[in-house]
Amino acid sequence: MNNIKRRDLIKLLGAISFGIVIPSWSNETFGKPTLNKEKKRKQTLETDILVIGGGTAGIIAAIQAARAGCKTMIVENGSHLGGTITKGGVNFPGLFHAWGKQIIKGIGWELVKKTVALDDGTMPDFSKYPPDRHWHHQIRLNTYLYSLLAEEKCIESGVEIHYYETPVNIVFQDNKWLVETVGKGVNNKITCNQIIDCTGNGCATSLAGFHLIKESETQPGALIFQLGGYDYRSLDFQKIPKRYRNILRSGYFINNAESDEPFVPYNQISVNSANSTTSESHTNANIKGRTSLLQMLRTLRSLPGCEKTKILDMQPETAVRETYRIDGVYKITYSDYISGKVFDDSMSYSFYPIDLHREQEGILQEYLEQDIVATVPLRALIPKGSKNFVVAGRCVSSDRLANSALRVQASCMGMGQSAGAAAALASKYDRPPLEVPIGDLKELIEKHDGIVPV
C-alpha cells in the first residue's frame, strides 16, 4: 500500500471533519484515494419564528410559538433536545411550587409530568418542606425519556427541528431577520419575523450585534457521574480520606435506591471557571472535568475495598452555571428578586434561592422570605436596541446575584413560554414584542396553562 504524506493526510482529515470532501475507496484504488468534492447544500428557508438553542427554555418557547399558530423552527447545534437537563445531567428541575402553591406550570410542567408518568416515577410532596430544603421539591427525571418526549412534543406542535446547525451570521433587513447557519453538509439562509435566543450564553444576541454582560469570575460547573463496583456497607472509613466518603455514599444510594431523602444524591466533579460561551472554553471545561474524574477513579481504586470501583455513567458535557447575560431593556436586580417585585409586564415566576457558587468561599445562598415569590418582566427578555428579538433562559437580563436564582430549569421554562408567546403575537401583529398588548400576551400564556404573576 502506498504511503500518504503526513501533510496530505492532515489536509484530508481536516477536510473530512468539515464535511467538505468524502473519500471514495475501491479495490483498484486502495491506497490512492479518489476525492469526490461535495459542496454544502445551500437552502433558503422561511419561518415566522426561529428559536436558536434546543435546551430547557428553547423547547418550551418553540412549542408555545407553534401552538399559537406560527410557523416555527428550532436550530440546535447538538444531536438532541434538552440542554442542561440531558447533556449536563442536571435532571432534577425545580422549583415549580412556592408556599404550597404552584407558580410555574404550562408547557414545561406538561413535559415534566409526562416524563415522570411514562417512567413510573413519583412527584415530591410539594406541601411538605420549607424553602431551606428546596431540593426536596426538585423532580427526578429520566433524561432519555425527557429528550424523546421533548422531540415528540415539538414535532406534534409542528416545530421544524434542525440538529447539528449553528448560526454564523444574523442581520436585520427589511423588517426581517436573515440568519445564516452551517452544519453537516448544509449552509442554510433562514428568513424569519422573530428570533428567540435560547442559547444560554447569548450567542445569537451577540451575533445580532447587541451587548452582553459578564463578570470576570465565572461560577464553577459540574461534571455529573455515577460510580459502582464496591460494597459501601463493608468499607472501613478509617482508611478512606474524608473527601471521598460522600462520593462513595452517594454512589451507593443512587445504585440501591436506599436513601431516606426524597431527593436521591448524585455525584459530581466541580470544574472551576467552567464556561460554555465558545467551543474552545467549553472544550476546556469538559477536559478539566474528565481529567479530574479519571484521577479520582485511579485514587479510589487504590483504597481498600474500592479496588473494583467503576464509572457506571458520565454525562457527555460539564454542566455550566454561568456565562454571558444580555443587556436588556430592564435588568432584574437582587433587590427586585428577594422582594418579589411584580412589574406591569411580569410574565412568569421564579422561586429558587439566591445560589451563587464560588471557587474559594463556597456557596452563597439566601432564601426568599415567607410568601415572597420573584417575577420576570418581559422587558428583561428584550436586548436593548433590538427589534423583533427575544431571549429566554439563563442569559436573561439580570445582575449576578439575581441570575444565580433565575438560571434554574423551572424558571427558564417559564421564561421560555413567555418568550414563545411574545414572539408569536409580535409576528401576528407585525410589531416588536414590547409593543404587543400585555393583556393579549397574558391571555395567550394562560390559554396554554401558564401562570402569569398578579
Side-chain angles (χ1 to χ4, degrees):
M1 182 171 67
N2 295 334
N3 292 325
I4 301 175
K5 291 183 179 179
R6 183 175 182 274
R7 63 175 180 271
D8 294 331
L9 178 61
I10 291 173
K11 290 179 181 179
L12 172 61
L13 293 175
I16 292 172
S17 69
F18 283 98
I20 297 172
V21 294
I22 300 176
S24 176
W25 305 94
S26 68
N27 290 333
E28 291 76 17
T29 62
F30 188 73
K32 298 180 180 179
T34 301
L35 303 181
N36 298 322
K37 294 183 179 179
E38 289 197 3
K39 296 180 180 179
K40 283 183 177 287
R41 186 162 61 99
K42 295 184 178 181
Q43 300 181 100
T44 300
L45 307 173
E46 293 185 6
T47 190
D48 297 325
I49 312 294
L50 176 63
V51 179
I52 302 175
T56 307
I59 296 165
I60 311 306
I63 294 172
Q64 173 63 90
R67 288 183 179 178
C70 290
K71 185 177 181 182
T72 304
M73 185 183 298
I74 189 167
V75 169
E76 162 57 39
N77 64 8
S79 61
H80 62 276
L81 302 174
T84 304
I85 291 178
T86 55
K87 297 175 186 175
V90 188
N91 59 324
F92 32 89
L95 300 170
F96 294 89
H97 295 73
W99 311 116
K101 296 180 180 179
Q102 186 155 12
I103 56 160
I104 299 172
K105 206 175 179 183
I107 296 168
W109 182 246
E110 172 191 331
L111 185 54
V112 166
K113 284 199 305 179
K114 288 184 179 295
T115 303
V116 172
L118 191 56
D119 198 42
D120 297 321
T122 57
M123 290 286 191
D125 181 352
F126 296 111
S127 66
K128 188 175 180 181
Y129 299 102
D132 61 353
R133 296 173 70 81
H134 60 278
W135 58 90
H136 290 272
H137 283 186
Q138 292 175 285
I139 304 165
R140 175 67 66 171
L141 297 180
N142 181 313
T143 58
Y144 310 112
L145 272 179
Y146 184 82
S147 180
L148 292 172
L149 289 171
E151 185 175 88
E152 179 184 65
K153 289 295 176 187
C154 281
I155 293 170
E156 287 177 350
S157 301
V159 177
E160 183 178 330
I161 302 172
H162 289 247
Y163 290 130
Y164 304 114
E165 283 188 42
T166 300
V168 293
N169 194 37
I170 300 177
V171 178
F172 194 64
Q173 182 177 309
D174 299 328
N175 209 38
K176 297 274 188 179
W177 283 106
L178 306 179
V179 181
E180 182 180 2
T181 67
V182 296
K184 294 185 177 183
V186 298
N187 183 188
N188 291 330
K189 294 188 177 179
I190 304 168
T191 302
C192 61
N193 298 332
Q194 303 282 333
I195 289 177
I196 308 178
D197 181 353
C198 295
T199 59
N201 57 19
C203 173
T205 303
S206 179
L207 278 174
F210 307 118
H211 188 237
L212 300 177
I213 300 170
K214 181 179 177 295
E215 276 72 25
S216 57
E217 179 187 3
T218 301
Q219 295 181 71
L223 178 62
I224 294 176
F225 62 93
Q226 185 177 337
L227 294 179
Y230 57 90
D231 183 357
Y232 176 80
R233 291 166 295 186
S234 68
L235 295 178
D236 182 354
F237 286 101
Q238 298 301 317
K239 299 179 180 179
I240 295 176
K242 188 175 180 180
R243 65 182 180 274
Y244 296 122
R245 294 174 191 173
N246 281 339
I247 291 172
L248 295 169
R249 178 178 181 272
S250 294
Y252 171 73
F253 283 135
I254 291 170
N255 297 328
N256 294 278
E258 294 184 18
S259 175
D260 293 330
E261 297 287 317
F263 182 63
V264 179
Y266 62 95
N267 279 326
Q268 66 170 351
I269 288 283
S270 184
V271 182
N272 289 340
S273 303
N275 187 347
S276 61
T277 300
T278 67
S279 58
E280 182 180 23
S281 65
H282 208 171
T283 295
N284 290 338
N286 288 334
I287 290 175
K288 284 170 68 175
R290 294 165 190 163
T291 300
S292 296
L293 177 57
L294 189 55
Q295 290 172 344
M296 188 194 71
L297 176 67
R298 287 175 172 145
T299 300
L300 283 173
R301 288 172 64 93
S302 70
L303 301 176
C306 300
E307 295 86 354
K308 298 296 183 182
T309 300
K310 296 176 175 59
I311 297 174
L312 302 181
D313 191 20
M314 182 190 75
Q315 293 308 125
E317 291 185 2
T318 293
V320 172
R321 290 185 173 92
E322 181 180 34
T323 50
Y324 282 92
R325 308 183 299 280
I326 69 163
D327 184 11
V329 174
Y330 184 85
K331 180 191 289 186
I332 303 170
T333 66
Y334 161 79
S335 177
D336 293 336
Y337 195 89
I338 63 168
S339 67
K341 184 174 181 178
V342 178
F343 306 85
D344 290 341
D345 61 340
S346 288
M347 292 295 135
S348 60
Y349 282 113
S350 178
F351 187 58
Y352 209 77
I354 299 296
D355 189 60
L356 187 68
H357 290 242
R358 300 168 296 182
E359 293 183 7
Q360 303 300 328
E361 301 91 339
I363 303 173
L364 170 64
Q365 281 192 332
E366 183 177 349
Y367 300 95
L368 298 180
E369 294 183 1
Q370 183 70 36
D371 296 327
I372 295 293
V373 183
T375 74
V376 180
L378 177 62
R379 286 169 292 160
L381 305 182
I382 310 293
K384 282 181 183 176
S386 69
K387 188 177 181 182
N388 301 357
F389 201 104
V390 193
V391 306
R394 186 178 63 209
C395 57
V396 57
S397 180
S398 49
D399 67 25
R400 196 172 188 226
L401 284 174
N403 191 263
S404 72
L406 289 163
R407 63 179 170 79
V408 300
Q409 287 121 323
S411 304
C412 290
M413 289 177 178
M415 286 185 263
Q417 185 155 358
S418 300
L425 290 182
S427 179
K428 288 184 176 183
Y429 295 167
D430 191 22
R431 61 179 68 177
L434 282 180
E435 295 181 14
V436 169
I438 294 299
D440 292 3
L441 180 52
K442 291 182 176 181
E443 183 179 339
L444 177 59
I445 293 171
E446 290 173 339
K447 179 181 177 182
H448 293 273
D449 210 28
I451 298 175
V452 176
V454 293

